[in-house]
Amino acid sequence: MELRICHLYPDVLNLYGDGGDIICMQQRLRWRGIDSNVTRVLIGDPLRLSDFDLLFIGGGQDFEQEVLLPDLQRGKDREIRAAIEDGLTALTICGGYQMLGQYYVTYDGVRCDFIGALDLYTVGSKTRMIGNTIFRCSDECGGSTVVGFENHSGKTWLGPSIKPLAHIEVGFGNNGEDHTEGAHYKNVFGSYSHGPMLPKNPEFCDFLLETALRQRYGTVSLSPLDDTAERTAHDHMVQRLTKR
Ligand code: GLN
């Protein structure tokens, strides 16, 4: 058993250590004796998502998202839309998450017509939404509580054919208004959670890995690990942010 991971634009969309999510996924698989490999796909590289089990896209500044547009529009957008409809598992963070939507109008008024794979759009706002977050994932997304960190000016609004990843408990989430965080469509999970997101949230990481492995191998149940260190870090943030 192995997991083939595609890391899209790792050199451009790499804010706040989002690459650590890849390291976390690989390590949690390695501890179970499951191989994994990561292919970095850069601007100008071909993209064939049928070769992969999981797509990862990190976050980036407005400028970096604008830089990617021509490369996306040369065919990567079609490839990503088709793969998502075929059930590819994906974790996309902040700018990478926004990019899967219909469009993003930056605070400076630049409109980026993005991939249109997810029924959502984003509009830059005067308030930068920065800080630690806590959110509870929907049951369909594993039901775990996630602690994270957000930094975005974009306010994301979900359309009728997509569901939120989670309900925000501490922080802004998608827009600071409707109490949603992230998005979930088929096997795609979008989140504003930088940090990286996964190391302090082992339950969500394993949920994501099982989703990707199940797509390729059928029923998969990862063996439990000693997550004492991870849960201590997770619980510390919950206590600190909620004064429990
Ligand atoms: N540039 C986008 C915004 O400001 C995404 C930021 C990010 O990826 N952290 O909303």
Side-chain angles (χ1 to χ4, degrees), residues 15 59-62 65 94-95 98 104 128 151-154 194:
L15 272 186
Q61 299 166 73
D62 288 0
Q65 290 171 277
C94 204
Q98 295 171 340
Y104 172 37
R128 277 207 78 80
N151 178 354
H152 53 107
S153 85
H194 287 291

Side-chain angles (χ1 to χ4, degrees), residues 128-171:
R128 277 207 78 80
M129 290 158 274
I130 303 178
N132 291 304
T133 60
I134 300 179
F135 51 87
R136 177 159 180 75
C137 295
S138 66
D139 291 343
E140 287 178 341
C141 296
S144 66
T145 295
V146 170
V147 295
F149 173 79
E150 64 184 331
N151 178 354
H152 53 107
S153 85
K155 290 192 171 187
T156 294
W157 304 95
L158 304 182
S161 63
I162 195 165
K163 296 178 184 173
L165 168 72
H167 178 273
I168 192 82
E169 295 179 353
V170 173

Side-chain angles (χ1 to χ4, degrees), residues 8-226:
L8 184 58
Y9 302 135
D11 54 340
V12 180
L13 297 180
N14 58 359
L15 272 186
Y16 294 108
D18 293 335
D21 288 326
I22 298 264
I23 297 169
C24 180
M25 286 191 272
Q26 289 197 285
Q27 186 54 53
R28 293 188 70 79
L29 290 170
R30 191 174 298 120
W31 279 328
R32 288 139 165 156
I34 299 174
D35 291 334
S36 63
N37 55 68
V38 178
T39 301
R40 292 159 54 89
V41 177
L42 312 180
I43 291 176
D45 288 349
L47 177 64
R48 195 171 64 178
L49 287 170
S50 55
D51 294 343
F52 299 101
D53 307 304
L54 189 143
L55 169 66
F56 179 80
I57 315 174
Q61 299 166 73
D62 288 0
F63 167 73
E64 290 158 341
Q65 290 171 277
E66 292 161 35
V67 160
L68 295 173
L69 269 177
D71 188 60
L72 277 175
Q73 290 162 355
R74 278 195 289 269
K76 286 190 174 76
D77 51 358
R78 287 192 302 277
E79 179 71 15
I80 292 168
R81 281 198 300 268
I84 285 173
E85 288 304 312
D86 285 347
L88 178 70
T89 301
L91 176 64
T92 59
I93 304 295
C94 204
Y97 157 43
Q98 295 171 340
M99 206 166 78
L100 295 184
Q102 289 137 3
Y103 62 84
Y104 172 37
V105 179
T106 68
Y107 182 60
D108 298 333
V110 176
R111 176 176 168 122
C112 305
D113 287 314
F114 274 141
I115 297 170
L118 300 187
D119 181 14
L120 59 88
Y121 65 91
T122 302
V123 179
S125 68
K126 190 174 180 185
T127 319
R128 277 207 78 80
M129 290 158 274
I130 303 178
N132 291 304
T133 60
I134 300 179
F135 51 87
R136 177 159 180 75
C137 295
S138 66
D139 291 343
E140 287 178 341
C141 296
S144 66
T145 295
V146 170
V147 295
F149 173 79
E150 64 184 331
N151 178 354
H152 53 107
S153 85
K155 290 192 171 187
T156 294
W157 304 95
L158 304 182
S161 63
I162 195 165
K163 296 178 184 173
L165 168 72
H167 178 273
I168 192 82
E169 295 179 353
V170 173
F172 296 93
N174 279 328
N175 49 53
E177 296 178 34
D178 65 9
H179 307 292
T180 64
E181 151 60 13
H184 172 223
Y185 174 70
K186 291 182 180 272
N187 290 322
V188 177
F189 306 93
S191 174
Y192 271 110
S193 195
H194 287 291
M197 175 182 187
L198 299 177
K200 291 199 291 288
N201 302 290
E203 202 173 335
F204 183 74
C205 184
D206 285 354
F207 166 80
L208 184 71
L209 293 173
E210 287 183 347
T211 300
L213 288 167
R214 195 175 303 129
Q215 272 302 101
R216 186 166 169 203
Y217 296 103
T219 308
V220 169
S221 178
L222 293 174
S223 55
L225 295 171
D226 174 3

